[in-house]
Amino acid sequence: MIVIAAAILGAIVGGVTAARRKGNRKDIAQYAAGYAMAFVVVGMIVTVVVHRMIV
């Protein structure tokens, strides 16, 4: 669940960042994908840490 939420949040942050920088549709899509992947990596790490703390 954390990973999915992180991916969605990353895509939103990336899209907004590119839009603020006056990017076109391709720029916005690329930023959204890049940020989503970065947030997914962080989300996976958080998921593993939380799981290790519970078990």
Side-chain angles (χ1 to χ4, degrees):
M1 242 8 226
I2 295 173
V3 176
I4 296 169
I8 293 169
L9 181 65
I12 292 169
V13 170
V16 169
T17 301
R20 283 187 183 165
R21 294 181 181 182
K22 307 278 193 245
N24 59 23
R25 287 185 184 176
K26 290 180 182 179
D27 293 329
I28 293 171
Q30 184 175 1
Y31 266 72
Y35 273 66
M37 287 187 277
F39 277 49
V40 163
V41 170
V42 173
M44 280 299 294
I45 293 168
V46 169
T47 301
V48 169
V49 168
V50 168
H51 182 69
R52 294 280 181 167
M53 291 176 72
I54 292 173
V55 175

